[in-house]
Amino acid sequence: FAGNVEAKSHTKKQVIAHRGASGYAPEHTFASYDLSHNVMGADYIEVDLQMTKDGQLIAMHDETVDRTTNGTGAVKDLTLAEIKQLDAGSWFNDKNPELAKPSYVGQQVPTLDEILTRYGSNAKYYIETKSPDVYPGMEEELIRVLAEHGLMKTNKLKKGHVLIQSFSNESLVKMRQLNKKIQLVQLLDRNQVDTLTDAQLSELKQLVMGIGPNFRDLTADNTKRLKSYGFVVHPYTVNTEEDMRRMNSYGVDGVFTNYADVYKRIVNEK
Ligand code: G3P
Ligand code: CA
């Protein structure tokens, strides 16, 4: 019995709230994270990182503030104080009138430090180093902020409180050089998964515990191949119920989704 319970808990599919509950609320705002974490009970809050002119890590997908705020310009050319003036919610109301809420107006761009303060060390974070080539020192700053919040302790890392993901292998190598224990996930570009040779996968397994492929590339066979190397497999970004069920049928370990509520319902079905 004990063995069964353990096996079950190890195979629990992880609900990774992609940019928070970004199917319902403006991505990478507290409105979005509150919904995915406090209301939907997703396992992970997914955070994309960019770095400001004054070296602060903020949650934003793009290298510029143009799409998700009322401002313009590259994050690297703006100070945190300047970015804090921006409205990171109204664009969502304009784009999605059927989902618009007055409370989204005036949402601010959160810093990583503010996110970790708000959700604490019991929440789990799936953090992506975005454009690390644009931001020298990003990895060092990330580890410093995580440590300040007690998230670099071995037991927290072991339990998967923090996973670091990147499309940049170089950035993941750097994270490993800075810390031996932190758990890493290699994201793969579209069409990349089937180009990886056995030798490349073996080498990658020395560095990362997981692979994040584009879900459109996954098949039953290549998922099985990745699993045979011992990788955890977390495809992105799976937003329809049909695709979620298909990914589960391949044996993935969870998915990045804008609809954490939908995936959670599916994984909890008896
Ligand atoms: O991090 C997984 C997935 O989010 C990668 O794509 O562009 O949404 O960050 P993107
Ligand atoms: Ca991401």
Side-chain angles (χ1 to χ4, degrees):
F1 262 110
N4 282 344
V5 169
E6 192 181 13
K8 203 171 172 191
S9 72
H10 280 173
T11 57
K12 186 179 168 291
K13 298 193 188 305
Q14 298 296 294
V15 181
I16 307 159
H18 184 245
R19 314 181 194 177
S22 59
Y24 305 98
E27 64 185 63
H28 293 314
T29 62
F30 284 151
S32 185
Y33 299 150
D34 282 357
L35 193 54
S36 74
H37 182 70
N38 302 339
V39 180
M40 297 174 179
D43 294 296
Y44 281 94
I45 299 174
E46 197 243 357
V47 180
D48 294 314
L49 289 183
Q50 307 280 343
M51 199 156 89
T52 64
K53 188 177 178 182
D54 46 346
Q56 304 293 310
L57 294 176
I58 60 163
M60 187 168 287
H61 179 271
D62 300 358
E63 275 176 48
T64 74
V65 300
D66 300 25
R67 180 178 61 87
T68 56
T69 75
N70 60 344
T72 55
V75 173
K76 72 173 173 43
D77 297 329
L78 297 166
T79 63
L80 180 61
E82 286 167 334
I83 289 173
K84 280 291 181 186
Q85 303 294 317
L86 305 177
D87 176 342
S90 290
W91 70 273
F92 181 89
N93 287 352
D94 295 342
K95 197 171 168 208
N96 308 281
E98 72 291 358
L99 297 170
K101 287 194 177 166
S103 59
Y104 296 162
V105 176
Q107 287 283 317
Q108 289 188 329
V109 175
T111 64
L112 178 63
D113 179 59
E114 288 166 345
I115 295 165
L116 301 180
T117 299
R118 188 173 180 97
Y119 303 103
S121 65
N122 288 325
K124 297 199 289 183
Y125 303 94
Y126 212 130
I127 302 174
E128 179 177 353
T129 55
K130 279 274 182 219
S131 319
D133 42 323
V134 178
Y135 307 114
M138 172 181 241
E139 291 83 2
E140 286 86 346
E141 178 61 7
L142 170 54
I143 288 189
R144 190 193 68 73
V145 176
L146 289 170
E148 212 170 67
H149 286 268
L151 289 167
M152 291 301 295
K153 293 178 185 155
T154 304
N155 63 333
K156 291 274 180 210
L157 294 180
K158 246 192 205 160
K159 288 182 189 158
H161 274 75
V162 177
L163 300 179
I164 304 297
Q165 43 157 345
S166 194
F167 285 99
S168 163
N169 184 260
E170 209 178 304
S171 183
L172 295 174
V173 168
K174 191 156 181 205
M175 289 300 294
R176 175 60 69 239
Q177 285 166 351
L178 293 168
N179 186 278
K180 287 199 167 48
K181 299 245 158 60
I182 196 152
Q183 300 201 64
L184 306 174
V185 173
Q186 177 73 60
L187 299 174
L188 300 180
D189 285 316
R190 180 81 167 103
N191 295 324
Q192 198 182 352
V193 66
D194 289 332
T195 68
L196 295 171
T197 63
D198 290 344
Q200 284 172 321
L201 285 175
S202 295
E203 195 188 334
L204 203 48
K205 189 63 184 71
Q206 303 304 307
L207 176 69
V208 302
M209 51 80 81
I211 299 276
N214 185 306
F215 86 95
R216 293 174 202 284
D217 296 331
L218 273 194
T219 62
D221 283 347
N222 61 21
T223 305
K224 204 168 154 196
R225 178 171 180 241
L226 293 175
K227 299 293 296 175
S228 76
Y229 284 84
F231 290 114
V232 160
V233 180
H234 290 153
Y236 66 89
T237 302
V238 190
N239 286 330
T240 71
E241 193 163 329
E242 189 189 347
D243 286 329
M244 290 170 184
R245 290 185 190 282
R246 187 164 57 86
M247 293 298 115
N248 283 354
S249 77
Y250 298 162
V252 302
D253 300 280
V255 306
F256 292 87
T257 178
N258 299 348
Y259 300 94
D261 54 339
V262 176
Y263 190 58
K264 184 154 177 154
R265 172 169 53 75
I266 289 174
V267 301
N268 285 338
E269 280 172 0
K270 288 278 180 301

